[in-house]
Amino acid sequence: ALLARAKKLDTAIAKLEAAPGDGAAPPEQLEPAEAARIAVAREDVNAWCEYFSGQAQAPYHRELQAEAAAHPYLLVEAAPEVGKSQQLTLRRVLWLIGRDPNVTIGIVGAKAEQAFEWVRAIKSGLESPAFRRVFPEVQPGALWTTERLEVKRTSVTTTGAGASTLGSNSSAIKCGPEY
């Protein structure tokens, strides 16, 4: 039953991706199951992560998201390659921007280039068909570079460890695992 459901969802997504435009099909063109998935993804970060990545959230990933929601200051230590950065620096940041275009997020890496890589990934995520379907009202702003993005009133900026952030006002700061 799960395989049949996954195939049905894949078919619906493929239809939307094949449609002309930016991937943000009007709600009346969506199949009911797809419209429901989109509505849930707007409200639930784990549903968003699954929708965006096409992968089920592992229990550890759900725990990461719950901890991030519960604690404004969170330090995560875990083994390499378990999805910490994908979950918190990419997928959660995209979801936060989609839900509140006025949020300001800082991405900090041990070196500025590491932070730039994440901003490039966020930029790609913002331009993706999945993001456009779930958050079609979010539009690019005046700044759209590898160092800084503005989406409507959202700002994502980067810095290396030890750099000055004087005058910066971030609602969320994400540090890379190498920091």
Side-chain angles (χ1 to χ4, degrees):
L2 185 58
L3 184 58
R5 182 176 163 220
K7 285 183 181 181
K8 183 177 179 182
L9 292 173
D10 287 343
T11 301
I13 291 169
K15 286 180 186 177
L16 290 171
E17 289 176 345
D22 63 3
E28 64 274 5
Q29 292 181 1
L30 297 175
E31 293 182 17
E34 180 68 3
R37 280 185 72 206
I38 288 171
V40 173
R42 285 186 185 122
E43 301 302 319
D44 180 84
V45 68
N46 288 299
W48 159 251
C49 291
E50 291 176 350
Y51 188 87
F52 179 74
S53 70
Q55 301 171 336
Q57 287 282 83
Y60 171 71
H61 297 143
R62 290 181 178 281
E63 183 179 338
L64 274 178
Q65 295 294 350
E67 292 298 322
H71 305 287
Y73 304 104
L74 180 66
L75 173 64
V76 178
E77 289 187 285
E81 303 296 321
V82 296
K84 302 174 299 291
S85 297
Q86 283 291 322
Q87 288 292 316
L88 300 177
T89 307
L90 178 62
R91 297 173 190 168
R92 185 171 193 84
V93 165
L94 289 170
W95 184 74
L96 289 171
I97 291 169
R99 290 181 46 88
D100 179 7
N102 295 314
V103 69
T104 302
I105 298 169
I107 307 292
V108 180
K111 295 183 179 175
E113 183 54 40
Q114 292 164 328
F116 297 162
E117 288 176 23
W118 282 110
V119 171
R120 285 191 289 272
I122 292 165
K123 180 179 180 278
S124 293
L126 292 168
E127 295 169 342
S128 72
F131 188 88
R132 303 298 317 130
R133 282 191 297 276
V134 177
F135 303 109
E137 65 285 352
V138 177
Q139 300 296 319
L143 287 173
W144 202 251
T145 70
T146 59
E147 296 176 26
R148 187 177 175 110
L149 301 173
E150 287 185 359
V151 181
K152 283 190 180 177
R153 294 192 52 177
T154 294
S155 176
V156 178
T157 189
T158 61
T159 188
S164 173
T165 57
L166 189 62
S168 175
N169 181 15
S170 294
S171 304
I173 297 176
K174 307 297 180 187
C175 296
E178 63 286 329
Y179 183 73

